[in-house]
Amino acid sequence: MTATAPGGRRIEIGARILPPLPEGSRVHVGVWAGDYQFTFHPSLGLRLSRWLPVALLVFWLFGWAEGERFALSHAVDSNTPSGVRVFLFLWTIGWTVGGLGAAVIAAALAFRPSAENILLKPAELVWRPAYPLMKHFGRTRWAFFRSLLTLHRRSVLFPRERVEDISIIVEHNSEDQTTKDHLVLRCDGEEYKHGVELGPHDLDWLCAALNAWMQARG
């Protein structure tokens, strides 16, 4: 058996015919303007699980707003000692930065796309990440801040000639002795994590598909 696209067609990328999708796969294969498109819909549990940190962050932000109001009201009060006013101004700067960071994270979790999407064009890969705020692989230095700076970009384009490597990286957790697979695409010295909500068998299949695309000739 081979993997099939809509209409029962075999999936061929370059000269390679892909193996069948794993049983129970969450990878949906489609064709858009003649190019293969892979979509990964998160499970119901994953869709619901993100709302717990969102709710906690929103609850914390209410307290943050009250703290901001309290500090500013005393910082501008002429009856407040000058030393205390300076401290409150400095404290408010850090408090404001922390609150804005929490608001960005809450928004990134709450308004994430409904699915991750990869479109394989002959000369480029178009990727819409599941979590735009976490599209850089975590071991990259300043990965979170790099993602934050590009949060406005809903899709990321990877020219094929600039893609350096696509591989599975196994991350070991020394605390609970578990491992987690990550499908990482390396382009222009940066690492991006694809298929963040897929299981290991789906990741292996997707890695094979993306490597076939990378090695194909347009």
Side-chain angles (χ1 to χ4, degrees):
M1 290 181 61
T2 59
T4 58
R9 295 183 346 199
R10 295 184 304 179
I11 298 179
E12 299 183 36
I13 301 179
R16 182 170 181 179
I17 300 176
L18 295 183
L21 285 162
E23 184 177 354
S25 173
R26 300 223 316 273
V27 178
H28 173 76
V29 181
V31 178
W32 188 84
D35 299 317
Y36 287 117
Q37 181 172 260
F38 306 139
T39 304
F40 326 126
H41 294 279
S43 65
L44 177 61
L46 287 170
R47 290 200 301 269
L48 294 177
S49 64
R50 79 175 191 269
W51 291 109
L52 177 58
V54 170
L56 292 175
L57 285 169
V58 170
F59 179 77
W60 182 86
L61 283 169
F62 278 109
W64 169 84
E66 177 58 26
E68 189 92 349
R69 185 202 65 77
F70 176 85
L72 286 174
S73 64
H74 285 75
V76 298
D77 188 347
S78 59
N79 294 322
T80 303
S82 58
V84 175
R85 293 174 65 184
V86 171
F87 169 80
L88 287 174
F89 272 122
L90 295 176
W91 180 87
T92 301
I93 292 173
W95 189 246
T96 301
V97 171
L100 292 176
V104 169
I105 294 174
L109 291 173
F111 299 105
R112 55 147 289 177
S114 59
E116 183 174 354
N117 185 279
I118 292 176
L119 177 64
L120 297 181
K121 294 185 175 182
E124 64 183 8
L125 182 154
V126 183
W127 176 48
R128 186 180 68 176
Y131 293 97
L133 196 60
M134 294 175 281
K135 56 178 168 282
H136 284 77
F137 186 43
R139 70 177 186 173
T140 305
R141 182 176 295 179
W142 304 107
F144 173 82
F145 295 101
R146 291 177 186 270
S147 297
L148 181 60
L149 291 174
T150 57
L151 187 61
H152 62 285
R153 293 165 53 191
R154 292 183 58 82
S155 296
V156 186
L157 305 182
F158 299 105
R160 190 174 60 183
E161 69 273 8
R162 285 160 53 187
V163 175
E164 303 158 17
D165 179 66
I166 302 174
S167 59
I168 300 291
I169 293 179
V170 180
E171 189 175 52
H172 297 272
N173 188 326
S174 58
E175 294 183 0
D176 54 12
Q177 301 300 313
T178 59
T179 60
K180 182 173 177 56
D181 293 347
H182 301 281
L183 175 55
V184 177
L185 181 150
R186 184 177 179 84
C187 181
D188 294 335
E190 299 283 355
E191 293 180 323
Y192 302 85
K193 184 166 59 176
H194 291 60
V196 295
E197 294 174 341
L198 294 179
H201 297 301
D202 276 337
L203 287 178
D204 288 338
W205 186 91
L206 183 59
C207 185
L210 297 186
N211 272 286
W213 165 83
M214 185 176 70
Q215 296 162 10
R217 295 291 179 265

